[in-house]
Amino acid sequence: MERNIRCFCMGQPFASLACHGVKNLETRGWDMLAELAGQRVGIFISHDDWPPDPRARAHRTREAVQLTEAAGHSDAMGACLLPDEFNRGEVVATVQVGETWLLTPDVVERLGGWDAVAQRASLTPEFMERNASLHVTELHAPQWLEHGVTVPRNKARMVFDVTLPLSALPSAAAGGAAAGKPLRADSPPFAMPKAAGAGTPLRADSLPFIPS
């Protein structure tokens, strides 16, 4: 048996941050997710990381780690990483999509100010203020799938339909962001710390630097 759902694409490391429940404001240059409001949809891990440029990606990831730490999360680096059983090119989680707004000063104030928006979006205010057409969408209650569902590169879109086998859907007892999926290090380019309370090392293929 299978279930058809809508799905949207996110690049690493921000996809992991959303699936772990750290990034609960998704940002786009247009109202891409407005049509999905009120739906539980899939999160597809793009084959390509974001930003595409490695130096820019390292910089944005470092900022995301710092914002995650500032928000009080104890394992900021781990939140940027995929659990062991998931890979790029797969639907790995589902999330409930909330409202979408153009990020005006009024919306920033309504969401608690720039510090709160930055921590929820995992992006700095300076970066977000550069884009006058930036939209934010609230994401709620992420849940990891039981296993990833591969989508070929030529089938993946920014928003698309996906068929999930029932074996991939989280069971009623499965946790979401706090489920504690194990993390891994597959050929890391640098020494990685262990996740708090986890027996396996973190996976390092998303992080090209060690945050200070």
Side-chain angles (χ1 to χ4, degrees):
M1 298 180 67
E2 299 173 325
R3 179 173 298 175
N4 295 322
I5 66 170
R6 299 287 277 163
C7 182
F8 71 96
C9 180
M10 294 185 71
Q12 280 290 83
F14 296 92
S16 285
L17 286 163
C19 294
H20 281 291
V22 174
K23 178 179 172 65
N24 53 53
L25 275 182
E26 173 61 344
T27 56
R28 300 283 169 151
W30 72 106
D31 60 347
M32 185 187 86
L33 298 180
E35 65 178 275
L36 304 179
Q39 300 181 46
R40 176 159 285 275
V41 305
I43 294 180
F44 172 75
I45 309 293
S46 174
H47 295 86
D48 303 308
D49 295 346
W50 187 87
D53 177 70
R55 291 178 65 86
R57 184 164 62 250
H59 182 66
R60 295 289 163 230
T61 309
R62 184 180 297 109
E63 291 176 340
V65 168
Q66 293 168 348
L67 287 165
T68 302
E69 290 173 340
H73 295 276
S74 59
D75 187 16
M77 185 176 291
C80 293
L81 308 174
L82 286 172
D84 183 58
E85 62 267 45
F86 298 120
N87 292 287
R88 291 165 178 79
E90 295 179 343
V91 181
V92 304
T94 64
V95 69
Q96 189 76 18
V97 178
E99 290 189 69
T100 294
W101 303 282
L102 179 65
L103 193 59
T104 62
D106 286 346
V107 170
V108 171
E109 182 177 356
R110 189 188 319 157
L111 293 173
W114 272 116
D115 286 347
V117 171
Q119 290 176 7
R120 294 182 62 189
S122 302
L123 292 168
T124 64
E126 293 76 17
F127 178 79
M128 289 186 281
E129 285 179 303
R130 295 176 198 163
N131 188 345
S133 63
L134 195 69
H135 288 70
V136 294
T137 301
E138 290 195 315
L139 304 177
H140 306 285
Q143 284 190 305
W144 296 102
L145 298 183
E146 293 298 318
H147 60 80
V149 177
T150 301
V151 177
R153 183 184 286 268
N154 65 343
K155 297 291 181 64
R157 301 290 185 270
M158 297 306 294
V159 177
F160 60 99
D161 294 320
V162 66
T163 301
L164 300 180
L166 291 187
S167 62
L169 296 178
S171 64
K181 293 263 187 186
L183 301 165
R184 79 183 183 199
D186 41 354
S187 302
F190 55 85
M192 293 287 293
K194 294 290 186 71
T200 55
L202 297 176
R203 172 179 175 175
D205 59 353
S206 299
L207 295 178
F209 65 94
I210 304 177
S212 58

